[in-house]
Amino acid sequence: MASTYQNLIGDRWAAAASGATFTSVSPANHEDVIGEFPASGPADVDAAVAAARAAYPGWSLMPAPKRGEILFKVARLLAEHKEELARLMTREMGKVLPEARGDVQEAIDVAYYMAGEGRRLFGQTVPSEMPDKFAMAIRRPIGVAGIITPWNFPIAIPAWKLFPALICGNTAVLKPASDTPACVVRFVELLREGGVPAGVVNVVTGSGTEVGHALVDHPDVRLISFTGHTETGVEISRRAAETLKRVSLELGGKNPIVIWEDADLDLALDSVVWSAFGTSGQRCTAASRIVVHRSIHDRFVQVLRDRVAKLVLGDGLEETTDVGPVINDRAVERIAAYAAIGRDEGELVIGGEPARDGSLASGSFFQPTIFAEVRPDARIAQEEIFGPVTSVIPVDSWEETVEVVNGVKYGLSTSLFTRDINLAFRSIRDFDSGLGYVNHGTIGAEAHLPFGGVKATGNGHREVGQAALEFFSEWKSVYIDYSGRLQRAQIDTTFVDQE
Ligand code: UN1
């Protein structure tokens, strides 16, 4: 029998006010039901926001090093439960077990990093232009954060939004993707066990239109952090403008790996397979374009084809599986539609169909797919497919390469394989992206550097690292005048233009 899960509102686990539920099933086997979850609505969001508001004074006034101690405990608990969380994730989301372990590890890394921030949260102290006057800028928490997370990193992404929010002193209401709510509920149970006080983190499951909209519209929510589709991000921005919320958006990508003629081809090949087909291509950072110097194009496509032909599809819990399912049948249909478009736009090298052999028939699988000789302006080379599909684009010159790399609306991750140090630096300067790699694929960003992209990939904010603190705190400039007399800034400054 499927387990029944509930929302977390303050210290209480509760069904949706309406009593409605939805089901989460395994993408590897639709018969495997993970659980029933509240199909919540605005009333549940109201209750969760009220709980987060009530918890805010206590949490924001707790000394940050103490909040950090709680996050250290959470980090240790996540590490102790890593295997359990990873197995649940593979079952619910589909990614192969080693990747699910990596997802949990990313959450552990962010927890340790942000816990340490409890003893820093550096501000600025600067000289004043007046004598006997002290000047500094300090970080203040903002209030209740609405956190809306995707299914592709069911624990890492909630962690990298939540931990910086918490260390800065905010409280939160989390809405997990409806394909992976069990992962988030289990993650939040461990936060509570680690000592995160009641109301500091609340969870409301349900749809984007019911729960997401209610959070974005709520006047008592001051921040929204969202990862997902670009169109949804635009809609969130528009709605959030009504209540002047601060919004951080992490959206789509169309990330290229460029393989120059002097590249280490074996290394490039390993990296392409990993970046294009790891997580079944369902990463914002996935390599969905392989830009290859024409002199090596045919040879590269041949070795890539041979390698991809050997990839084993299956349940991510099986050790023999290289590529797991995609998230659900709607995703299979969307990817299949792109594969059909691709047949007119390029040369299908391998794959191109849903995979339904044997036990795959009970899940949502799509064959790893490669198109070659794709024009840079083809739809499959421009639009985010979010599946195991990549397009090989031949180029003749460096100028053309830069044009192709930058000729998409997104700008998340870019990569170049070369042995030429000058080209390597040029790629870092000239490729429009928030993440730039040299001799490494497009995936695998680390938790202590800013994460995010340019152009339609986001709205200028960055996640994790120090950058996350910028989003989750607000500056307050403080002046303490100990001169005992009226000092007029900009007017009584006698040290300029003395004559
Ligand atoms: C995402 O796909 O939304 O760099 C996040 C990476 C991971 C994070 C990806 N560390 O691929």
Side-chain angles (χ1 to χ4, degrees), residues 106 152-153 157 160 227 282-285 437 442-445 451:
E106 201 158 339
N152 68 334
F153 278 80
I157 291 183
W160 81 25
T227 297
Q282 302 169 110
R283 296 195 189 209
C284 311
T285 51
Y437 290 94
T442 51
I443 71 176
F451 182 93

Side-chain angles (χ1 to χ4, degrees), residues 217-297:
D217 294 343
H218 205 295
D220 293 334
V221 172
R222 297 310 313 140
L223 296 156
I224 292 287
S225 179
F226 168 78
T227 297
H229 292 298
T230 296
E231 304 73 54
T232 315
V234 170
E235 192 188 351
I236 288 177
S237 279
R238 209 175 267 139
R239 295 180 85 103
E242 293 290 332
T243 43
L244 293 175
K245 285 181 179 58
R246 183 184 280 207
V247 177
S248 172
L249 302 171
E250 210 49 72
L251 309 169
K254 195 70 193 175
N255 314 293
I257 290 182
V258 176
I259 307 175
W260 206 242
E261 51 191 339
D262 66 346
D264 175 339
L265 270 196
D266 291 336
L267 175 63
L269 180 65
D270 284 345
S271 305
V272 166
V273 173
W274 172 229
S275 296
F277 302 114
T279 330
S280 307
Q282 302 169 110
R283 296 195 189 209
C284 311
T285 51
S288 48
R289 298 187 294 155
I290 315 299
V291 180
V292 181
H293 195 280
R294 198 178 297 275
S295 64
I296 54 168
H297 176 271

Side-chain angles (χ1 to χ4, degrees), residues 155-347:
I155 292 185
I157 291 183
W160 81 25
K161 293 181 187 303
L162 207 49
F163 296 151
L166 297 187
I167 201 64
C168 288
N170 307 285
T171 59
V173 177
L174 185 55
K175 184 211 119 36
S178 297
D179 284 298
T180 52
C183 288
V184 169
V185 168
R186 187 66 195 113
F187 168 69
V188 169
E189 278 173 358
L190 292 171
L191 263 60
R192 291 284 287 126
E193 198 180 320
V196 174
V200 170
V201 176
N202 305 273
V203 179
V204 183
T205 62
S207 72
T209 44
E210 288 291 309
V211 178
H213 284 180
L215 256 183
V216 173
D217 294 343
H218 205 295
D220 293 334
V221 172
R222 297 310 313 140
L223 296 156
I224 292 287
S225 179
F226 168 78
T227 297
H229 292 298
T230 296
E231 304 73 54
T232 315
V234 170
E235 192 188 351
I236 288 177
S237 279
R238 209 175 267 139
R239 295 180 85 103
E242 293 290 332
T243 43
L244 293 175
K245 285 181 179 58
R246 183 184 280 207
V247 177
S248 172
L249 302 171
E250 210 49 72
L251 309 169
K254 195 70 193 175
N255 314 293
I257 290 182
V258 176
I259 307 175
W260 206 242
E261 51 191 339
D262 66 346
D264 175 339
L265 270 196
D266 291 336
L267 175 63
L269 180 65
D270 284 345
S271 305
V272 166
V273 173
W274 172 229
S275 296
F277 302 114
T279 330
S280 307
Q282 302 169 110
R283 296 195 189 209
C284 311
T285 51
S288 48
R289 298 187 294 155
I290 315 299
V291 180
V292 181
H293 195 280
R294 198 178 297 275
S295 64
I296 54 168
H297 176 271
D298 293 353
R299 186 151 57 100
F300 184 76
V301 170
Q302 183 58 46
V303 287
L304 181 60
R305 192 208 166 278
D306 293 348
R307 178 68 90 74
V308 169
K310 296 198 188 95
L311 292 175
V312 177
L313 261 81
D315 185 329
L317 288 170
E318 309 277 343
E319 254 179 53
T320 47
T321 300
D322 296 309
V323 180
V326 296
I327 191 65
N328 54 36
D329 279 348
R330 288 191 311 284
V332 174
E333 279 166 32
R334 193 194 59 244
I335 299 163
Y338 271 110
I341 294 168
R343 283 183 168 82
D344 296 331
E345 293 183 325
E347 182 189 299

Side-chain angles (χ1 to χ4, degrees), residues 305-306 308-310 347-352 367-371:
R305 192 208 166 278
D306 293 348
V308 169
K310 296 198 188 95
E347 182 189 299
L348 178 65
V349 176
I350 192 168
Q367 298 168 344
T369 300
I370 305 167
F371 288 97

